[in-house]
Amino acid sequence: NTPMPLSLQDEYIKKESLYGAKNYSPLSVVLNKGEGAYLWDVDGNKYLDMVSAYSAVSHGHSHPKLIEVIHEQSKKLSITSRAFYTEPFADFLEKLSNLSGFESVLTMNTGAEAVETAIKAARRWGYFSKGIPEDKAEIIVADGNFHGRTTTIVSFSTDDAYKKGFGPFTPGFDAANFCGSCECDSIEKCLSINTFEKKINKNTCAIIVEPIQGEAGIRVPREGWLKELRALCTEKNILLILDEIQSGLGRTGKLFAYEHENIKPDGLILGKALGGALLPISAFLSSKEIMNHFKPGSHGSTFGGNPLASKVASKALDLLFEEKLIENSKTMGDYFLSKLKDIDSKIIKEVRGKGLWIGMELNNAEVSAKNLCMMLLNEGLLCKETHETVIRFAPPLMIGKKDIDWALNKITKVITSIE
């Protein structure tokens, strides 16, 4: 009774399961190569990527121009810490500031670090500009939010799965209703805006929200909601800070998702795609009035804004325009969304999204989102579920119509087979 030898896939899955912490539940595939919109596993099987590392792979895997940049810069200078000035960092700051219209940029590495930076900036502004008593500043967030997994950030999550066993939690946060979780029939009667307004008091310094909630299942607010929130913040003299770590840099068919509403926030949080799917780099962008409250020693990061990541990020920004990735996101996203909505099935409860950021919500009684993702995996399509009932479709922004049609064929095939 000699046991069968493990396959290459099983061998790596066993290793990761044996030595790694169980804080993820990956799909049963071991990837080792990526190019453009495609990934390959260790057995050579090819898959179309509809996850894009949660919007980090907007430019496609292993973009040759970004690979060239990382190769050339790594031979010259990779990291110095911020104890010194560097040419790649200075050029990157100028480019991102001019592109976004924000006066000042503070770089970190991960999205969660950038969110923490935004929280610190909002509190300092509250104390030093607005005159809130020390240690009394409050920030309002939205229910269903996902901004990261640090202890401060999970403190204001409304999902128990992110919080259980991690207390005590950081005070100073309150959650209002995200648009879509309230039952209203027009933006003029939006109960969500009312819940935000009721939470505001003399110690409120900021509202921090995602313009479209990603982890919550691609929840798209009613048209005009963000504009109302902007007006509310202006009226009450509090900051509007938007987390566009997933929605920014072309994902929704605009450079930033807030541009769909023709507004501008007081602060903007970026990450993921900023590193061109090669290196982590994130940023908090704001005005000089807000950012000048940071002084030497008040905040920092050894790797934040390192020359290598800065050089790659600078090129990644260029490529969004040189390769028309933002326009492609809108065109292909509109097409993909309309075709998914055309699938007539009792399994599908709703399809929603903007650009190449689409959520398909399932009727829970029919099939779980994870099981459907496993079936799509077997068809060569990599997708990921969220909250058990929603599948996210977020391919690289360079994807073409041929690949989307192929994906639609596979999605329709699997749904039909279940029915």
Side-chain angles (χ1 to χ4, degrees):
N1 295 323
T2 305
M4 291 289 290
L6 292 174
S7 70
L8 203 53
Q9 300 253 12
D10 289 338
E11 183 181 331
Y12 287 114
I13 290 171
K14 183 180 178 182
K15 277 186 186 180
E16 189 169 322
S17 301
L18 180 62
Y19 298 110
K22 306 297 190 292
N23 60 320
Y24 276 93
S25 178
L27 295 179
S28 297
V29 60
V30 180
L31 303 171
N32 77 336
K33 179 186 171 185
E35 183 178 328
Y38 285 93
L39 290 160
W40 285 261
D41 65 23
V42 290
D43 292 327
N45 299 307
K46 184 180 180 181
Y47 304 88
L48 182 61
D49 185 5
M50 284 280 168
V51 181
S52 296
Y54 305 126
S55 293
V57 191
S58 291
H59 301 77
H61 294 277
S62 304
H63 194 294
K65 291 183 180 178
L66 292 173
I67 294 291
E68 182 181 350
V69 168
I70 201 170
H71 179 66
E72 292 302 317
Q73 183 61 38
S74 64
K75 290 191 297 184
K76 293 171 63 179
L77 183 65
S78 293
I79 180 168
T80 61
S81 85
R82 289 292 311 285
F84 309 97
Y85 294 97
T86 67
E87 167 261 321
F89 185 55
D91 287 345
F92 167 69
L93 291 177
E94 180 183 38
K95 183 170 293 183
L96 184 55
S97 176
N98 290 339
L99 193 62
S100 65
F102 286 93
E103 296 176 319
S104 192
V105 179
L106 198 162
T107 56
M108 300 295 282
N109 307 285
T110 66
E113 289 176 75
V115 173
E116 291 272 5
T117 302
I119 292 167
K120 292 173 79 171
R123 286 175 172 173
R124 278 222 160 180
W125 175 85
Y127 297 135
F128 301 159
S129 286
K130 191 175 179 181
I132 295 172
E134 188 69 23
D135 295 336
K136 298 294 183 182
E138 296 180 18
I139 292 172
I140 302 171
V141 297
D143 64 355
N145 71 78
F146 182 81
H147 298 282
R149 299 185 187 275
T150 65
T151 49
T152 292
I153 293 172
V154 299
S155 296
F156 56 83
S157 172
T158 57
D159 191 322
D160 289 339
Y162 301 144
K163 301 177 74 167
K164 187 173 176 59
F166 295 124
F169 298 113
T170 307
F173 300 95
D174 202 357
N177 292 340
F178 188 79
C179 185
S181 59
C182 60
E183 299 294 330
C184 56
D185 54 13
S186 69
I187 194 64
E188 289 76 22
K189 300 176 183 177
C190 184
L191 300 176
S192 169
I193 296 296
N194 290 341
T195 65
F196 274 92
E197 186 168 9
K198 287 175 182 177
K199 299 282 185 182
I200 296 171
N201 61 55
K202 60 182 173 36
N203 293 329
T204 304
C205 62
I207 290 175
I208 299 179
V209 296
E210 304 152 87
I212 297 173
Q213 289 190 332
E215 189 73 14
I218 319 298
R219 295 168 79 192
V220 183
R222 186 191 300 276
E223 184 179 348
W225 180 77
L226 207 57
K227 188 174 286 187
E228 290 291 318
L229 207 57
R230 170 69 278 178
L232 178 64
C233 289
T234 302
E235 177 191 344
K236 301 293 185 180
N237 188 31
I238 59 177
L239 306 180
L240 176 61
I241 297 175
L242 298 183
D243 179 345
E244 293 228 30
I245 293 167
Q246 289 194 54
S247 64
L249 303 175
R251 174 56 57 184
T252 69
K254 296 275 190 182
L255 179 60
F256 305 119
Y258 68 77
E259 292 178 340
H260 291 284
E261 293 277 311
N262 295 313
I263 65 149
K264 186 178 180 182
D266 300 294
L268 179 66
I269 307 167
L270 299 177
K272 293 193 183 292
L274 192 59
L278 291 174
L279 291 170
I281 181 170
S282 61
F284 175 62
L285 295 75
S286 193
S287 65
K288 289 191 180 297
E289 182 214 343
I290 294 166
M291 208 74 88
N292 283 349
H293 290 308
F294 285 113
K295 304 297 180 185
S298 62
H299 194 50
S301 166
T302 300
F303 282 85
N306 68 77
L308 187 59
S310 295
K311 200 75 170 182
V312 170
S314 189
K315 186 61 178 178
L317 291 172
D318 290 341
L319 290 172
L320 289 175
F321 298 93
E322 290 173 7
E323 300 190 347
K324 295 183 168 48
L325 298 182
I326 303 168
E327 293 92 327
N328 193 64
S329 178
K330 175 172 173 36
T331 304
M332 291 295 99
D334 288 348
Y335 175 73
F336 196 11
L337 183 67
S338 68
K339 292 296 183 181
L340 286 172
K341 286 183 175 181
D342 286 343
I343 300 174
D344 184 18
S345 171
K346 64 180 181 180
I347 289 172
I348 301 172
K349 180 179 179 181
E350 184 184 19
V351 180
R352 54 185 179 260
K354 275 189 185 293
L356 285 170
W357 207 29
I358 299 169
M360 176 188 284
E361 186 169 356
L362 308 177
N363 285 309
N364 199 27
E366 303 297 332
V367 63
S368 76
K370 183 157 190 176
N371 285 342
L372 191 53
C373 285
M374 288 299 298
M375 296 174 74
L376 290 170
L377 170 68
N378 292 331
E379 293 291 332
L381 198 62
L382 294 179
C383 309
K384 197 71 175 76
E385 83 285 352
T386 182
H387 287 272
E388 299 181 0
T389 58
V390 180
I391 298 177
R392 288 178 281 194
F393 297 111
L397 303 188
M398 38 65 64
I399 196 170
K401 183 175 178 293
K402 182 180 177 182
D403 284 336
I404 287 179
D405 284 336
W406 183 87
L408 285 163
N409 180 56
K410 297 298 184 183
I411 294 165
T412 304
K413 176 185 173 182
V414 166
I415 288 173
T416 302
S417 72
I418 295 169
E419 290 188 324

